[in-house]
């Protein structure tokens, strides 16, 4: 079992495409019937690699013509573009097209990628690697902060050869509660949750832990 | 573990919702029941504004073109009908601003100009949806939509309080 | 044409909007290194997809 403490693997940086490359992406996307409209003159296109895919990468379009700026992120192999719409389906679609290269080292980045792009009815899921670095910790009362520290269970990764799946024991924040759970990641990337236990309730993040905090309207 | 925080609900393939065209038509119908909402519905008809619904990670109104508006939301975490209506009203009001020539400054314009114009546009949009929310809130037929509560949930609580005071409704 | 809400500029929402305007402006400045010379208004820009 790998114990993962407060260490977070460095995310690859976003790489901005030049106008010619960006134009090609916009042209490819424009051929789709369900394509969202982006301004050609004011849309930045950037990409970054994902350690667990060999062919697919992330492509981010940011339209600066609107206020606030409008951003959509796609999974792409350079030909097909799958919009990340906040549900699990787009990621599972890419998983089918480009079989995952999961290892004990990159299964956690895969889960964090998944959680940062998929929401449930109660909002975002956030995996806590280090309680001392939990988002918005300062906004909680002393008692709550103490509760977080006391209830935190370190992340542990194991491979269950019998099921052919990774099992990640972790502390998660979801829907205003802190809980422990086992996250099961099958080799095909499908995720499920087992052994969920409530650790602490009334822990509400004032904003998105992923930094999406625009108020619409 | 309360059912509402069962993590497996994150994995739902998307909640069943009415057809996009039905949601849009119903929202315009309800907007038309308020004087200011009626202005927006008339604007849609007169200017042939196309309204689309998009799957987006977060709830968002998006105006990429003066005749095309999107209301986007996450289908795993669908917004309430009241919120959908207010989001539609907000982005339509922005389309109306654009049609009237009130645009965000050129991207190269000084920051102060952006602050002045874009803030004023936002404030106007909020005034408009506060007005519509109050007009609909006053009608018994729409009490279930809880428009004022929705405005607060959308993050406009302070603005709504100021609006109600300004309009002598608090 | 634009309506006002008295005191709106002092709200947390206004501060959030201001921060978003600043972010957008600085992001656009980086991006605009490759933008064509300003000839037309950017909002709303011509759609391409």
């Amino acid at each position: 079992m790998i114990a993962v403490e407060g260490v977070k693997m460095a995310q690859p940086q976003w790489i901005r495409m030049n106008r010619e490359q960006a134009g090609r992406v916009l042209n490819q996307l424009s051929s789709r019937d369900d394509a969202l409209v982006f301004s050609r003159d004011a849309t930045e296109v950037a990409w970054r690699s994902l350690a667990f895919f060999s062919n697919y990468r992330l492509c981010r379009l940011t339209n600066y013509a609107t206020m606030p700026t409008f951003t959509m992120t796609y999974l792409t192999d350079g030909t097909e573009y799958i919009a990340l719409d906040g549900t699990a389906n787009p990621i599972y679609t890419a998983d089918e097209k480009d079989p995952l290269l999961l290892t004990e080292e990159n299964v956690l980045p895969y889960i964090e990628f998944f959680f940062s792009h998929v929401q449930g009815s109660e909002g975002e899921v956030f995996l806590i690697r280090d309680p001392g670095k939990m988002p918005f910790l300062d906004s909680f009362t002393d008692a709550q902060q103490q509760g977080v520290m006391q209830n935190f269970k370190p992340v542990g990764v194991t491979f269950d050869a019998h099921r052919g799946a990774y099992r990640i024991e972790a502390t998660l924040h979801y829907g205003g509660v802190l809980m422990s759970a086992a996250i099961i990641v099958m080799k095909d990337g499908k995720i499920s949750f087992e052994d969920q236990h409530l650790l602490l309730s009334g822990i509400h993040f004032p904003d998105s832990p992923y930094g999406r905090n625009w108020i619409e309207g | 573990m309360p059912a509402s925080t069962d993590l497996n609900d994150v994995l739902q393939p998307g909640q069943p919702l009415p057809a996009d065209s039905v949601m849009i038509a119903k929202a315009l119908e309800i907007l038309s029941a308020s004087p200011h909402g009626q202005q927006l519905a008339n604007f849609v008809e007169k200017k042939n504004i196309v309204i689309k619904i998009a799957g987006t990670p977060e709830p968002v109104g998006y105006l990429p073109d003066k005749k095309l508006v999107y209301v986007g939301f996450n289908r795993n975490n669908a917004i309430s009908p009241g919120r959908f209506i207010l989001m539609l009203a907000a982005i339509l009001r922005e389309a109306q601003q654009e049609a009237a020539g009130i645009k965000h400054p050129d991207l190269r314009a000084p920051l102060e100009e952006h602050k002045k114009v874009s803030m004023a546009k936002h404030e106007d949009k909020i005034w408009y949806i506060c007005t519509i929310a109050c007009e609909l809130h006053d009608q018994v037929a729409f009490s279930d939509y809880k428009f004022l509560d929705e405005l607060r949930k959308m993050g406009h609580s302070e603005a709504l309080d100021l609006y109600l005071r300004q309009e002598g409704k608090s | 044409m634009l309506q006002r809400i008295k005191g709106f500029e002092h709200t947390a929402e206004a501060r959030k909007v201001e921060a978003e305007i600043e972010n957008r402006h600085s992001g656009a400045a980086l991006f605009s290194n490759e933008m064509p010379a300003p000839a037309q208004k950017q909002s709303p820009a011509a759609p391409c997809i």
Side-chain angles (χ1 to χ4, degrees):
Chain A
M1 175 158 164
I2 296 180
V4 183
E5 292 172 5
V7 186
K8 190 166 185 173
M9 285 171 74
Q11 293 269 30
Q13 293 293 306
W14 286 102
I15 299 165
R16 189 157 53 89
M17 290 182 176
N18 64 33
R19 288 189 67 81
E20 193 186 331
Q21 294 166 323
R24 275 201 293 273
V25 171
L26 292 168
N27 284 341
Q28 283 175 308
L29 274 165
S30 65
S31 60
R32 294 159 45 116
D33 289 341
D34 61 343
L36 283 156
V37 171
F38 281 84
S39 152
R40 179 173 293 275
D41 291 334
T43 297
E44 178 191 84
V45 184
W47 69 277
R48 75 174 173 85
S49 60
L50 294 165
F52 34 82
F53 280 125
S54 49
N55 299 319
Y56 273 71
R57 58 182 190 265
L58 279 180
C59 181
R60 184 185 68 192
L61 274 68
T62 304
N63 187 354
Y64 283 107
T66 61
M67 170 56 210
T69 55
F70 177 79
T71 298
M72 273 300 280
T73 308
Y74 297 81
L75 278 166
T76 180
D77 61 355
T79 308
E80 185 167 20
Y81 289 81
I82 304 169
L84 292 169
D85 63 359
T87 69
N89 297 357
I91 297 174
Y92 287 163
T93 301
D95 290 347
E96 282 169 18
K97 290 171 184 284
D98 189 14
L100 283 168
L101 310 167
L102 285 182
T103 64
E104 287 200 2
E105 283 71 38
N106 70 22
V107 69
L108 211 46
Y110 174 72
I111 289 172
E112 289 180 325
F113 162 75
F114 187 94
F115 288 162
S116 67
H117 289 96
V118 178
Q119 287 187 24
S121 59
E122 297 300 310
E124 294 161 314
V125 183
F126 189 80
L127 187 148
I128 299 161
R129 292 208 194 207
D130 177 348
K133 292 179 184 168
M134 192 171 105
F136 311 114
L137 192 63
D138 292 347
S139 67
F140 302 138
T141 63
D142 287 349
Q144 284 175 320
Q145 290 189 29
Q146 219 168 30
V148 169
M149 298 299 174
Q150 284 168 354
N151 284 289
F152 172 75
K153 295 183 191 316
V155 180
V157 180
T158 51
F159 182 70
D160 181 344
H162 181 67
R163 294 169 78 174
Y166 288 96
R167 181 184 174 92
I168 295 91
E169 309 275 354
T171 306
L172 301 163
H173 178 274
Y174 177 59
V177 306
L178 216 61
M179 62 176 83
S180 65
I183 307 159
I184 310 300
V185 186
M186 304 303 289
K187 277 196 161 172
D188 64 1
K190 298 279 193 305
I191 284 180
S192 61
F193 299 92
E194 294 178 358
D195 303 333
Q196 297 178 52
H197 297 290
L198 177 68
L199 300 174
L200 203 59
S201 57
I203 304 291
H204 293 279
F205 286 164
D207 263 324
S208 163
Y210 298 106
R212 294 182 285 257
N213 55 12
W214 175 253
I215 38 177
E216 85 281 7
Chain B
M1 180 68 53
S4 63
T5 49
D6 182 344
L7 283 159
N8 285 298
D9 105 325
V10 175
L11 309 168
Q12 297 299 313
Q15 305 301 315
L17 292 167
D20 290 359
S21 58
V22 173
M23 288 173 69
I24 293 164
K26 187 71 185 169
L28 287 172
E29 182 190 320
I30 292 172
L31 278 177
S32 299
S34 102
H36 284 79
Q38 175 74 62
Q39 283 181 25
L40 295 178
N42 290 347
F43 169 73
V44 168
E45 197 178 338
K46 197 172 158 192
K47 300 283 185 183
N48 293 317
I49 306 294
V50 176
I51 301 168
K52 291 187 177 183
I53 295 176
T56 57
E58 302 292 324
V60 66
Y62 177 46
L63 175 73
D65 177 70
K66 63 182 179 182
K67 287 191 181 293
L68 174 62
V69 305
Y70 289 95
V71 176
F73 58 87
N74 184 330
R75 289 180 187 267
N76 257 6
N77 191 5
I79 51 178
S80 67
R83 189 166 182 166
F84 177 78
I85 292 163
L86 293 174
M87 284 173 64
L88 178 61
I91 198 65
L92 287 175
R93 175 60 176 174
E94 190 165 347
Q96 214 176 29
Q97 292 172 354
E98 298 281 338
I102 304 165
K103 299 167 187 284
H104 294 292
D106 182 278
L107 285 174
R108 285 187 172 85
L111 177 59
E112 285 313 308
E113 195 182 329
H114 279 272
K115 283 187 181 177
K116 191 178 157 197
V117 177
S118 298
M119 185 67 82
K121 279 165 66 78
H122 182 87
E123 188 178 331
D124 170 77
K125 228 163 52 165
I126 303 307
W127 182 94
Y128 216 87
I129 59 173
C130 284
T131 301
I132 290 172
C134 288
E135 289 171 352
L136 293 173
H137 173 79
D138 290 342
Q139 300 180 42
V140 180
F142 303 118
S143 59
D144 286 350
Y145 287 86
K146 301 189 185 328
F147 282 107
L148 299 188
D149 291 346
E150 289 298 337
L151 266 182
R152 294 190 189 280
K153 284 187 205 161
M154 289 165 73
H156 305 307
S157 197
E158 262 184 293
L160 176 61
D161 288 337
L162 289 170
Y163 171 86
L164 291 172
R165 199 173 310 150
Q166 175 177 299
E167 303 297 320
K169 294 180 179 183
S170 56
Chain C
M1 178 208 179
L2 297 182
Q3 301 288 343
R4 302 294 313 270
I5 299 174
K6 198 176 173 195
F8 179 79
E9 64 274 21
H10 303 302
T11 63
E13 180 174 351
R15 287 194 293 279
K16 220 165 185 174
V17 174
E18 192 170 341
E20 175 62 28
I21 292 169
E22 286 169 359
N23 282 341
R24 173 175 178 259
H25 194 258
S26 56
L30 282 173
F31 164 68
S32 65
N33 290 335
E34 287 202 53
M35 280 171 60
Q40 74 281 351
K41 288 278 186 185
Q42 297 288 357
S43 172
C48 77
I49 54 175

